[in-house]
Amino acid sequence: MTFRLPLPALIHSRPHLSLAIVLGTAAYPLLPAHWPWITRLLGCWDVLVWTYLAMMGWMMIKADHSDIRRIASRQDEKGPVILAVLSLAVLVSLAAIVSQLATTKGLPDETLTLRYTLSVLTLIGSWFMVGVMFCSHYAHLYYTAGGEKPLGFPDSGLTPNYWDFLYFSFTISVAVQTSDVSVRNRLLRQVVLAQSVLCFFYNLAILGLSINIAASLLNG
C-alpha cells in the first residue's frame, strides 16, 4: 500500500504546516543567488520552521477545548507518516549544519557570521518544532480516542488544553521522561519511545555542534 496525501487534504488537515511549506519553498529563489545551495536550503528550512512555530504558537494561545477537539478530529490517519517525514527532515537539517560547519576555514567574517547564525536558528527552531509537532499529535490521539483516554493527567477533573500537551511533549524533549503524566496504551508508548529516541540523539547533536561552534569562534 502506498502513502498518498493529496494537497487539498493536507491543507485541510494541517493548514499551518501547509502554509509554512509554501512559504519555505517560495523563499528559495528570493535568497541571494551567490549563497551555496545548502545554505539556501537551510534558509528555506528556517523560514518553514519559524513560520510554523509562530502560527502554531498563536493558534495554541487562542484555542479553547472545543477548538482543540475540532483540530484533532480534522487530522487524519496519515498523521504518523507526516510526523515521521518531519522528524526525518529535522535530522537532515542537522546533517546540513554539519556540512556547513565543516567548510568554514578561510571564509570571510560575513560568511562565517551567516553560517553560524543559520546554524543556531536551525538548531533552536528544529528543536522547538519537534516538541510542537509531537504535542499536536498527542492532542490528536487524546481527543480522537474512544473509551479510556491514552494519557492520564494528574488533575483529572480538568479537560487538558494545549499547555498540558506542550508540558508532556517538552518534558520528553528536555528530560526524555514522562514526569507525572501516565501513558495508558501501547500506541502512545510507541510514539513516546519515538520522540524519546529522536530527542536523545538531537540533544547530543546540539551539544556537539555547540562545542564545535564555540571552539571555532575561540580559534577564529
Side-chain angles (χ1 to χ4, degrees), residues 12-13 59 63-75 143 162:
H12 172 74
S13 62
M59 181 271 292
D64 57 21
H65 298 141
S66 60
D67 294 327
I68 301 175
R69 290 180 185 275
R70 185 182 68 256
I71 294 169
S73 62
R74 189 171 59 197
Q75 297 177 1
Y143 280 107
Y162 275 124

Side-chain angles (χ1 to χ4, degrees), residues 72-213:
S73 62
R74 189 171 59 197
Q75 297 177 1
D76 58 20
E77 70 277 3
K78 303 300 190 302
V81 178
I82 295 175
L83 194 64
V85 171
L86 290 176
S87 298
L88 179 61
V90 167
L91 295 178
V92 170
S93 73
L94 287 180
I97 292 176
V98 172
S99 176
Q100 288 277 277
L101 298 181
T103 57
T104 57
K105 188 175 182 180
L107 292 177
D109 290 342
E110 58 271 19
T111 303
L112 285 175
T113 300
L114 171 64
R115 293 196 177 187
Y116 288 141
T117 300
L118 283 177
S119 297
V120 172
L121 285 174
T122 303
L123 282 175
I124 297 174
S126 295
W127 187 84
F128 275 102
M129 186 176 188
V130 170
V132 170
M133 67 187 189
F134 272 94
C135 160
S136 178
H137 192 59
Y138 291 133
H140 165 70
L141 294 177
Y142 184 92
Y143 280 107
T144 57
E148 184 182 27
K149 295 300 183 183
L151 289 174
F153 294 92
D155 45 357
S156 56
L158 298 177
T159 303
N161 58 21
Y162 275 124
W163 288 109
D164 297 300
F165 296 111
L166 284 170
Y167 165 76
F168 178 70
S169 180
F170 277 94
T171 298
I172 298 172
S173 292
V174 172
V176 194
Q177 64 178 19
T178 58
S179 187
D180 56 346
V181 180
S182 60
V183 181
R184 294 174 173 171
N185 69 28
R186 181 172 296 173
L187 176 59
L188 254 293
R189 285 191 287 273
Q190 292 172 347
V191 178
V192 169
L193 175 62
Q195 185 185 0
S196 299
V197 172
L198 175 63
C199 289
F200 174 77
F201 287 106
Y202 193 90
N203 292 343
L204 283 181
I206 288 178
L207 178 62
L209 289 170
S210 298
I211 294 173
N212 180 280
I213 293 174

